[in-house]
Structures are given as structure tokens and as C-alpha cells.
Amino acid sequence: MKIVGTVDELRDLLRPARRSERTIGLVPTMGALHEGHLSLIRQAREQCEVVVMSLFVNPAQFEEPADLDAYPRDHARDGELAAGVGVDYLFAPGVEEVYPQGFTSRVSVSGVTEPLEGQHRGTAHFEGVTTVVAKLFNMVQPDVAYFGQKDAQQAVVIRRLALDLDFAVRIEICPTVREPDGLAMSSRNERLSPSDRRRATALHRALRAAAEAIASDERTTGTVIAAAMAELENVELDYFELVNPDTLAPVGERIDGGEVLAVVAARVGATRLIDNQSIQVPSTSDGEQAGSAKQEVLHCSARC
Ligand code: PAF
């Protein structure tokens, strides 16, 4: 694995691959790698001939300087892990390389950035994400870019960005990787104290409670949400919502058939965590499909 710090060097290194039409996969990260990131890299390794992982703790997407300072950084460990799963180029630019003196441009996506995280963290967060991701797409010019479903809203926003601005990149969203007790893997988990770590499983339990309620033919949104809320009493909740997976608009008072995305964000101690689960909703009249919703819950129980 080669570590690269500048855009010029990266372009020089990728030129032969591009000329010989080898597929280039990009896994954008902010480091503090865990199994979730490694699963993205493994998927990129399987599907692409050249794998680039970017490692850049993007100041533009942190709304609080303290949060940026507290973000875990261990580039040596990240380098070892990345090399171990087959990254070819570790692109780790400095802040000046990404945001040189005089930088004033921003890339922003409206609509899907506004609810949920946009409402609780401010839209500047997603503007920071879309600006850096657009820059990474231009710097690396990947054929495929890999993101995690764990950041469900970010995934929707990035798909929108790529579509709207005609980036010639396929966006792959990979499944959330979970700890054995269901907690979604996140770089933020290492900040949890042992007691907060135990409380943090509430997010996953709430998602499961919602999925189970739907699998038991409950279709009143308020009742499904109440079942989830019962699991969230010991955390400081920002939101628990059932939304359309494409538009992120809240579902109406009743849940129709199709796919619903359950999304949750909460503070556990000083750490803010997010999680989500896609739920296939059968129409209640269709017995065969109702069985498949139950299967989805069972599948989730087995996996989580
Ligand atoms: O998901 C992340 O780690 C970041 O938001 C990303 C996509 C690497 C942009 O900084």
C-alpha cells in the first residue's frame, strides 16, 4: 500500500490505471477505522481493480470545534488496517491540500439535507460533507464509491449529489456492521464509558421494536413509534422517526406497504449516536408478504 498526501501525486499514480481502463474504487473515510469501514474496503477490493481509501478528518462537517478535536485519530493503526484488507493507495491529504488558502466554494444539496440530521446538527454539516465528497470525487475520479448504510441520510444525500452533478461514479451503499449486542459500529463508540456503552444498545432495540410492531401488523405510525420510544427512556433522544427511504419525508399517520426507514439519533452521555433500519412493510391484506416482514425481523434478530 502506498500512502499519498497530495492530489498531484495521486493523479500521477492513478493515471496508468485510468489509461488501461482498470476500475477504481474509492472508500472515503475520516479514519478511526472499524469493521464497518473494513467491510466497505473488502467490497471495493472484490469489485474494483484499484482501491483508494481516503483518510481526511473534514473540519467543514463538524459544527462544534470540541467535537472535531475529540474525533479519534490514529493514522498509524488506520494505515495497518487499510493495508491488511488490500487498499492500494491511502490518500491522506492535509487540511491545506483540501482547503488551500483562499478556498471559498461550497457544494450544497437542498431538500434531503434538511430534516433529521439537518434539523438537529444544522445544514452546514451536510454542506461540509457534500463539499468534501465532491472534491474527493474530482480528486480520485473513481468508478465506484463506497459508503455505509449506518449514515442513512448521508447515503441519500450523496446519491442525490452524484445524480444532480453528473459525477460519473456508481454509489454503493453497504450494510451496517453491528457489534454482537446490536450496537452499530461507529468511530464514536470508543468514546462511550462502560455504562454508556450498555445504554447505547437502546438505539438498536428501539429499531427492532418498531420492526417487530410492523411485523405484528401494527400500521398506526404513532403506535409503532411509541413501541420504539419505550426502549429509549434512558438516552437523550433527538429523534425517532419513520420516513420514506428515498425522500426522508415522514410517513403519514398510517404506514402503507413498501419500504419504511426507521431512523434514530440520541445522545448517550457526551456521545451522539445515530442508527437506522429499513423495514419492508407488507400490505396487511397480503398474508404471504406479512410472512416476509416477520422473516425480516427474524433475520435482523439473527444478524444483530
Ligand atoms: O462518513 C464519513 O466518514 C464522512 O462523512 C465522509 C463521507 C468520509 C466525508 O468526510
Side-chain angles (χ1 to χ4, degrees):
M1 184 183 76
K2 188 157 175 51
I3 300 177
V4 189
T6 68
V7 180
D8 284 349
E9 194 190 354
L10 183 71
R11 288 207 172 128
D12 285 347
L13 288 165
L14 291 177
R15 195 162 293 121
R18 219 179 298 288
R19 279 210 185 114
S20 54
E21 296 189 2
R22 277 183 280 158
T23 47
I24 300 173
L26 168 66
V27 182
T29 81
M30 297 205 297
L33 299 189
H34 50 68
E35 263 309 312
H37 297 109
L38 301 186
S39 75
L40 304 184
I41 300 169
R42 287 192 193 102
Q43 185 154 342
R45 188 67 283 167
E46 266 175 36
Q47 297 180 341
C48 302
E49 285 152 293
V50 178
V51 176
V52 180
M53 181 188 104
S54 63
L55 194 176
F56 179 64
V57 183
N58 176 30
Q61 69 188 78
F62 287 83
E63 50 288 21
E64 290 163 26
D67 199 25
L68 173 63
D69 291 344
Y71 200 82
R73 292 170 174 85
D74 187 345
H75 287 11
R77 177 180 169 277
D78 288 339
E80 275 173 32
L81 288 171
V85 283
V87 168
D88 297 304
Y89 299 112
L90 169 53
F91 177 48
V95 176
E96 285 289 303
E97 183 70 11
V98 179
Y99 301 117
Q101 277 257 303
F103 184 92
T104 54
S105 301
R106 291 283 178 278
V107 177
S108 69
V109 171
S110 59
V112 286
T113 52
E114 286 154 28
L116 308 173
E117 291 301 285
Q119 205 177 339
H120 285 267
R121 300 183 68 170
T123 44
H125 163 67
F126 280 123
E127 199 175 82
V129 172
T130 46
T131 300
V132 83
V133 169
K135 283 182 67 85
L136 288 167
F137 286 171
N138 282 330
M139 290 164 168
V140 180
Q141 294 178 25
D143 298 290
V144 194
Y146 297 83
F147 298 88
Q149 174 60 26
K150 151 78 171 37
D151 294 297
Q153 187 172 9
Q154 173 174 281
V156 171
V157 169
I158 288 170
R159 276 194 202 283
R160 189 77 260 162
L161 168 82
L163 204 64
D164 287 356
L165 298 187
D166 303 304
F167 283 107
V169 58
R170 191 177 90 229
I171 306 296
E172 285 268 337
I173 308 299
C174 306
T176 302
V177 179
R178 297 182 180 279
E179 301 284 358
D181 63 5
L183 180 68
M185 295 219 178
S186 162
S187 308
R188 290 169 184 264
N189 292 353
E190 55 186 82
R191 294 197 220 160
L192 295 165
S193 69
S195 68
D196 287 344
R197 170 67 187 76
R198 282 191 292 279
R199 287 196 299 140
T201 56
L203 278 73
H204 172 62
R205 283 189 275 112
L207 294 168
R208 276 192 46 188
E212 280 165 5
I214 291 173
S216 307
D217 292 341
E218 181 56 64
R219 292 292 178 274
T220 306
T221 304
T223 310
V224 173
I225 291 181
M229 291 296 204
E231 300 290 345
L232 292 163
E233 279 168 3
N234 292 325
V235 297
E236 203 185 312
L237 186 66
D238 272 355
Y239 58 80
F240 184 99
E241 283 195 43
L242 299 178
V243 299
N244 176 298
D246 301 318
T247 63
L248 304 176
V251 301
E253 278 175 26
R254 294 215 32 101
I255 303 164
D256 301 326
E259 188 190 350
V260 163
L261 187 68
V263 286
V264 60
R267 252 172 226 284
V268 185
T271 308
R272 188 171 183 279
L273 300 174
I274 57 172
D275 199 353
N276 68 88
Q277 186 177 326
S278 156
I279 305 171
Q280 292 300 328
V281 185
S283 48
T284 36
S285 56
D286 187 336
E288 221 174 89
Q289 282 184 4
S292 95
K294 280 175 185 134
Q295 262 187 349
E296 169 65 18
V297 172
L298 290 174
H299 178 56
C300 172
S301 318
R303 199 178 40 204
C304 311

